[in-house]
Amino acid sequence: MGKNVLKYLVITISIYSIIVTSFRFKGEMETVKMYVAKANGQWEETLHHANKAENYFYKVDLTSIP
């Protein structure tokens, strides 16, 4: 019984970690696109990627792009 509980706990934590990591990775990818758009002077595209980067597990710092 104890092994089953431990097994389910490890599986649950692993699934949660994969979900959080995928959301954070998507946020990081959009942040990179945001920086590229800023460097090219595409201000609307910068804002678009900044909004897409935001999710429950990833927040864009308001001071990240001066």
Side-chain angles (χ1 to χ4, degrees):
M1 176 107 177
K3 284 187 176 185
N4 284 339
V5 171
L6 182 61
K7 185 168 122 179
Y8 289 124
L9 181 64
V10 168
I11 290 171
T12 302
I13 291 172
S14 297
I15 291 171
Y16 178 77
S17 295
I18 290 169
I19 291 169
V20 170
T21 301
S22 65
F23 274 94
R24 291 192 55 82
F25 182 76
K26 181 185 178 293
E28 288 288 341
M29 293 301 295
E30 291 298 329
T31 300
V32 169
K33 291 177 186 177
M34 178 179 67
Y35 283 123
V36 170
K38 179 197 176 258
N40 292 330
Q42 299 170 326
W43 306 114
E44 287 194 29
E45 193 74 13
T46 302
L47 184 59
H48 171 74
H49 290 297
N51 289 333
K52 282 184 75 174
E54 291 274 333
N55 63 54
Y56 188 75
F57 300 107
Y58 187 85
K59 302 294 179 207
V60 176
D61 186 356
L62 295 177
T63 61
S64 60
I65 292 188

